[in-house]
Amino acid sequence: MSSPKSLHGVNYAPPRSFKTVLKANLKETLFPDDPFYEFKNEKLSKRILKGIQYFVPICQWLPKYKFGLFMYDLLAGITIASLAIPQGISYAKLAELPPIIGLYSSFVPPLIYAIFGSSKHLAVGTVATCSLIIAEAVQHKVKPEDNMELYVGLFYTAALISGLLQTALGVLRLGFLVDFLSHSTITGFMGGTALIICLQQLKGMLGLKHFTSRTDVYHVLRAVIENRKERKKKPNLFWVSAISPILVVVVGCLFAYFFNAEKHGIAIVGKLNKGINPSSIHLINFSPEYLPAVVKAGIITAMIAIAEGIAIGRSFAIMDNEQIDGNKEMVAIGLMNIVGSLTSCYLSTGPFSKTAVNYNAGCKSQMSNVVMSLCMLLTLLFLAPLFGYTPLVALAAIIMSAMIGLMDYEKAVHLYKTDKFDFLICMVAFFGVAFISMDMGLILSVGLALIRALLYVARPPTCKLGTITNTAFRDIEQYPGSNETPGMLILKLGSPIYFPNSNYVRERILRWVRDEQSLENSQRNEIEYLLLDFGGVTSIDITGVETLKELRRCLAAKSIKIILINPRLGVMEKLIATKFIDLLGKESVFLTIEEAIENCSFSLNSSSQAKRDDLEIA
């Protein structure tokens, strides 16, 4: 028996209040993973403890930490520290910063991440991409050779802005914004960036003193040609680029020290002072003259850093059948950049190369980052001056070796074979970065991806359903052998109906009706009922409701009646509130396609019998 609130099994309960709907929508938008599920049905003291463990992950894993795990983390930490030293110096030189800042940036941020980070595999450090992006933005305002203190201060300011934005996105649960950087965009952007970074290393490898601050291919090659007279004799240590980075640095330092490399025209890093990170609060600069540049650099690098860090952390977590919280990762990355910017560090995230080394070295927890940080502390206190003898050509080889791995041509080929539009998005990012600028390449690629998304929104899929069995209804284009139901047209709508697509939905449905009625006489289906499967319609706005009203009027003129099937809760509430259900009639809404066909078939049979009776009387 149907209750007063239902007919054909459809629930006609009064719409929920605005407060209830808003709360449900916000929860689904901001907390889709239901992070506080474990807090339910717990005592207050237990909830407080779990709350602390949730927001400060070290409080969860450290009490359970065992010495047996430490041996793995010790080995992993030492391994990634051996990579962090040459990379830190290299990427600082890439950004034209004092090399010691690269070492500083591998000391403080890993400690902060170990406290707040949720990924046990992610290894923290600077990345070449963000180093170059910030350098390009800052050098439009000040050159390092003109005012190094101001130049460095703007780097710290950009890192602070990045950290604040990253933390805010994580706290406000706005991680979905990062999804606008599609996989294709990131692939192309990284490839294009890797290309121009490799070209940038021609300065160090050719011994050029003058170079361009622009990052596109044209200006870099032009600088190489115009300054060709400055080229020095090639050093004899190019073979070391095939060895691991730390060996490159060690061998390069020994060579430079014992053979007085500078006297032979081989540039070296220069003096590195001992000591841990000094405070950099006094260097933070929000002057209106420089603010636009650092804000631009901060926003771009913030999005790239969290997109890269979260994607890499999730990739390695999946290998161990684990999950990480993207919003918590944003908070952790943001906090380490905020603290880092105040302690002479520039932007850090979780680079792929270092994380892969950490994973393959057998890390078991975030303790590997702590070990790396302690190794960097010892380096800063005792060994830093030794690395001042590192030849710049060795650093260039390290950077180029790392960047070649970012040119994922196999992924580009895969995109071409599987999705030409994704391949186009990837290529726009690659060539935009390589031949225009990094930010324009990113903007063009993201813009093209958004255009594609808008096309999906504005032109949602619809399909005509046929029967394979009595209870299986499938797309007739996918299953050409499916049977149609005489007197009925069954359509499935697969998206929300709202203002961007409502006109298209109406026109597409009318075209289905027209095509159905314009078939050859032997195949013509005289439609009396249009069955709309609303199971895939997740929401509808006022424009969408008005579209349904217009559609009803158009079809009524053709003596075709609309039947709705399985409207979802939010859609049903909107249709009830706008009185569309009263206009359509509750008897025209069904829970399943089978029930709708059965009911409509009875009406069709009755109509056919009445027509036959009329003919007999005549």
Side-chain angles (χ1 to χ4, degrees):
M1 292 293 292
S2 297
S3 67
K5 293 183 179 180
S6 66
L7 181 66
H8 303 145
V10 178
N11 187 359
Y12 291 97
R16 296 167 297 172
S17 67
F18 174 77
K19 180 180 178 180
T20 302
V21 173
L22 180 63
K23 181 179 178 181
N25 289 339
L26 287 176
K27 180 180 179 181
E28 195 61 31
T29 300
L30 303 179
F31 302 96
D33 52 347
D34 194 12
F36 304 116
Y37 175 79
E38 296 182 0
F39 290 55
K40 297 177 181 177
N41 305 319
E42 295 282 1
K43 295 180 179 179
L44 179 60
S45 58
K46 193 78 171 180
R47 278 187 285 177
I48 293 175
L49 177 61
K50 287 192 173 184
I52 295 173
Q53 292 175 341
Y54 177 82
F55 291 107
V56 188
I58 194 173
C59 296
Q60 183 176 18
W61 62 264
L62 189 59
K64 304 175 184 177
Y65 195 73
K66 298 178 181 179
F67 180 76
L69 301 177
F70 179 70
M71 302 308 296
Y72 294 97
D73 288 333
L74 178 63
L75 175 61
I78 294 174
T79 304
I80 57 177
S82 69
L83 182 61
I85 294 171
Q87 279 192 350
I89 297 173
S90 301
Y91 295 159
K93 289 297 293 182
L94 176 65
E96 299 192 46
L97 292 169
I100 194 67
I101 295 178
L103 299 181
Y104 290 158
S105 301
S106 294
F107 168 45
V108 173
L111 286 177
I112 304 301
Y113 183 82
I115 296 172
F116 296 99
S118 60
S119 171
K120 66 183 183 183
H121 303 121
L122 201 71
V124 172
T126 56
V127 288
T129 304
C130 294
S131 301
L132 197 58
I133 290 174
I134 301 176
E136 182 185 22
V138 171
Q139 286 181 24
H140 283 300
K141 294 295 182 181
V142 59
K143 296 291 190 292
E145 59 270 20
D146 295 336
N147 191 335
M148 179 58 78
E149 184 176 276
L150 175 60
Y151 182 77
V152 171
L154 295 180
F155 260 79
Y156 297 152
T157 308
L160 177 61
I161 292 172
S162 291
L164 291 172
L165 178 59
Q166 291 163 341
T167 304
L169 290 175
V171 171
L172 297 175
R173 309 285 297 182
L174 298 178
F176 63 88
L177 295 177
V178 181
D179 296 335
F180 286 102
L181 290 176
S182 68
H183 185 73
S184 304
T185 295
I186 293 175
T187 300
F189 180 80
M190 290 299 182
T193 303
L195 173 62
I196 60 176
I197 288 174
C198 286
L199 292 176
Q200 287 276 338
Q201 301 319 298
L202 293 175
K203 177 183 178 182
M205 299 193 78
L206 299 176
L208 302 179
K209 294 182 179 179
H210 297 89
F211 211 63
T212 178
S213 61
R214 302 287 292 275
T215 56
D216 58 279
V217 171
Y218 169 75
H219 284 91
V220 171
L221 293 180
R222 179 180 175 183
V224 172
I225 295 171
E226 290 180 348
N227 299 294
R228 58 187 179 275
K229 294 182 179 179
E230 295 181 1
R231 297 181 193 179
K232 304 296 183 181
K233 186 177 179 180
K234 292 184 179 180
N236 298 321
L237 288 178
F238 278 113
W239 61 271
V240 298
S241 62
I243 309 176
S244 60
I246 192 63
L247 289 180
V248 172
V249 171
V250 171
V251 173
C253 288
L254 292 174
F255 176 88
Y257 179 77
F258 287 108
F259 294 95
N260 294 319
E262 282 189 291
K263 294 182 178 180
H264 297 282
I266 301 177
I268 63 175
V269 168
K271 185 178 180 181
L272 292 178
N273 295 322
K274 294 181 181 179
I276 60 173
N277 306 34
S279 172
S280 55
I281 298 176
H282 62 288
L283 295 176
I284 301 296
N285 192 322
F286 290 109
S287 172
E289 180 182 356
Y290 309 112
L291 192 59
V294 294
V295 168
K296 172 187 171 183
I299 292 175
I300 294 176
T301 53
M303 301 302 287
I304 292 173
I306 56 180
E308 182 177 359
I310 293 172
I312 291 170
R314 284 175 174 169
S315 299
F316 284 95
I318 289 173
M319 294 182 185
D320 286 352
N321 296 317
E322 297 175 352
Q323 291 182 332
I324 63 172
D325 188 328
N327 289 289
K328 287 167 67 175
E329 286 297 286
M330 282 191 285
V331 171
I333 293 173
L335 288 176
M336 74 182 191
N337 281 317
I338 291 173
V339 176
S341 68
L342 304 178
T343 54
S344 299
C345 306
Y346 75 104
L347 192 112
S348 302
T349 184
F352 176 80
S353 57
K354 197 177 295 183
T355 302
V357 169
N358 194 33
Y359 179 84
N360 292 325
C363 69
K364 298 299 180 182
S365 72
Q366 294 90 321
M367 184 63 73
S368 61
N369 275 295
V370 177
V371 174
M372 176 182 70
S373 181
L374 294 177
C375 290
M376 298 305 299
L377 173 63
L378 295 176
T379 300
L380 289 169
L381 291 177
F382 304 108
L383 304 177
L386 300 178
F387 292 104
Y389 291 98
T390 307
L392 295 186
V393 67
L395 299 183
I398 292 171
I399 294 175
M400 292 183 72
S401 176
M403 291 305 102
I404 289 174
L406 292 181
M407 297 185 194
D408 196 348
Y409 67 91
E410 292 182 352
K411 177 63 70 176
V413 172
H414 176 72
L415 289 174
Y416 179 78
K417 291 180 178 179
T418 56
D419 193 315
K420 299 298 189 294
F421 207 114
D422 269 335
F423 175 76
L424 178 61
I425 293 171
C426 176
M427 290 298 99
V428 166
F430 179 84
F431 288 107
V433 167
F435 291 96
I436 305 177
S437 67
M438 300 181 74
D439 52 346
M440 282 304 299
L442 188 63
I443 290 171
L444 290 173
S445 181
V446 171
L448 189 60
L450 289 177
I451 290 174
R452 185 187 197 187
L454 289 175
L455 288 176
Y456 285 140
V457 170
R459 296 294 183 265
T462 62
C463 64
K464 177 182 173 183
L465 300 182
T467 56
I468 295 180
T469 65
N470 291 334
T471 58
F473 297 87
R474 297 294 182 268
D475 183 358
I476 62 170
E477 188 175 357
Q478 185 177 3
Y479 298 92
S482 55
N483 301 314
E484 299 183 30
T485 305
M488 304 177 202
L489 174 61
I490 309 172
L491 300 179
K492 184 178 181 65
L493 307 182
S495 76
I497 303 176
Y498 45 7
F499 71 94
N501 64 21
S502 56
N503 286 331
Y504 171 79
V505 169
R506 181 188 65 242
E507 296 301 327
R508 189 66 185 94
I509 291 174
L510 291 175
R511 183 148 58 94
W512 278 114
V513 174
R514 182 200 66 193
D515 293 346
E516 191 73 10
Q517 293 183 327
S518 64
L519 296 173
E520 296 296 331
N521 290 334
S522 59
Q523 298 178 325
R524 182 175 296 169
N525 184 10
E526 295 294 342
I527 302 172
E528 294 189 28
Y529 290 97
L530 172 64
L531 278 61
L532 298 177
D533 185 352
F534 265 40
V537 180
T538 55
S539 63
I540 188 170
D541 67 358
I542 295 299
T543 306
V545 175
E546 292 299 322
T547 296
L548 292 181
K549 291 180 180 179
E550 293 174 16
L551 182 63
R552 176 186 170 278
R553 286 195 295 268
C554 292
L555 295 179
K558 302 176 183 290
S559 300
I560 300 175
K561 187 175 182 179
I562 293 180
I563 303 295
L564 296 186
I565 299 166
N566 189 30
R568 300 177 66 165
L569 176 60
V571 175
M572 193 64 178
E573 290 178 334
K574 188 63 67 67
L575 297 180
I576 292 174
T578 56
K579 308 296 183 183
F580 180 76
I581 292 297
D582 295 338
L583 183 65
L584 190 66
K586 292 183 178 181
E587 69 279 0
S588 299
V589 185
F590 291 85
L591 191 62
T592 65
I593 298 177
E594 296 91 332
E595 292 176 351
I597 290 177
E598 182 181 355
N599 188 280
C600 294
S601 296
F602 177 79
S603 299
L604 284 172
N605 293 334
S606 300
S607 175
S608 299
Q609 182 62 44
K611 290 179 181 179
R612 287 195 294 271
D613 291 343
D614 290 341
L615 288 174
E616 291 176 0
I617 293 174

